Amino acid sequence: MIVLETDRLVLRRLTLNDAPFIVELLTDPAFLRYIGDRGVRDQQSARQYLLKGPIASYEKFGFGLYFVFLKESGDPVGICGLLKRDTLSDVDVGFAFLPAHRRKGYATESAAAVLAHGRSTLGLKRVVAITSPDNEGSIAVLEKIGLRFEGMTRLGDDPREVRLFGIDL
Ligand SMILES: CC(C)(COP(=O)(O)OP(=O)(O)OC[C@H]1O[C@@H](n2cnc3c(N)ncnc32)[C@H](O)[C@@H]1OP(=O)(O)O)[C@@H](O)C(=O)NCCC(=O)NCCS
């Protein structure tokens, strides 16, 4: 199910068939460092992640993280979308791209489209984002799409501080 198209990218819902791609993305060292260990090691754990994460989110909220691929070649490049976490009162935008497809503007292009979709289709009034304090790439993307740094916070029981960004739509 296609959700959004931009100049270069298509965003569609993730399915269980994306398990091999999810293994590649979620075991990438930058994903593990900046986002965390989601317990994905192989196709079976990737299918569990997909079921309990993005697919459950589509069913519960009507949105979630989407699979991002190149319009021209069909190559998978990353994930980008909206999340509703128990630990945050607002909906947050999230993204991660494969190493070979970073620094090409894909995170900015897809996240900007996701924000516009949140405002116009989902009727969201505010979107936030959280990053590790030192995630320069993510911070640059968030600022480019209009989010502003609002302060440091902690999520749930996690003792680590994260940066909170936000935008009123
Ligand atoms: C963070 C991440 C999503 C950025 O994706 P991307 O597609 O490379 O970002 P873009 O190409 O849209 O870059 C946007 C801006 O950020 C800058 N940028 C990107 N990566 C950067 C980095 N590692 N350090 C400093 N600046 C960076 C770019 O230079 C660009 O600015 P410019 O247009 O002025 O040149 C990507 O590096 C990634 O997937 N990292 C691992 C997962 C992750 O950290 N996700 C975010 C969790 S909050």
Side-chain angles (χ1 to χ4, degrees), residues 61-64 66 82 91 114 116-125:
F61 304 113
F63 58 77
Y66 303 117
L82 295 165
V91 170
V114 159
H117 173 76
R119 174 175 41 225
S120 58
T121 308
L122 303 171
L124 299 176
K125 298 278 176 259

Side-chain angles (χ1 to χ4, degrees), residues 20-85:
F21 161 76
I22 287 297
V23 174
E24 189 181 352
L25 186 67
L26 273 63
T27 57
D28 167 64
F31 188 101
L32 291 165
R33 174 177 170 193
Y34 291 119
I35 297 182
D37 186 352
R38 296 289 180 259
V40 170
R41 300 286 182 275
D42 52 22
Q43 292 210 36
Q44 192 183 337
S45 46
R47 281 193 293 271
Q48 284 306 308
Y49 164 82
L50 285 161
L51 274 177
K52 292 185 183 158
I55 294 171
S57 179
Y58 306 145
E59 280 165 19
K60 189 164 180 191
F61 304 113
F63 58 77
L65 284 169
Y66 303 117
F67 177 86
V68 185
F69 64 94
L70 298 183
K71 211 180 250 184
E72 207 169 278
S73 62
D75 290 349
V77 291
I79 56 175
C80 180
L82 295 165
L83 300 103
K84 177 65 197 77
R85 303 172 201 257

Side-chain angles (χ1 to χ4, degrees), residues 6 9 33 51 55 58 61 82-83 93 98 104 108 117 119 125 127 135-137 153 157 160 162 168:
T6 67
L9 307 169
R33 174 177 170 193
L51 274 177
I55 294 171
Y58 306 145
F61 304 113
L82 295 165
L83 300 103
V93 59
L98 293 172
K104 292 176 179 167
T108 305
H117 173 76
R119 174 175 41 225
K125 298 278 176 259
V127 168
N135 193 345
E136 304 294 342
T153 189
D157 299 334
R160 290 171 302 177
V162 290
D168 293 328

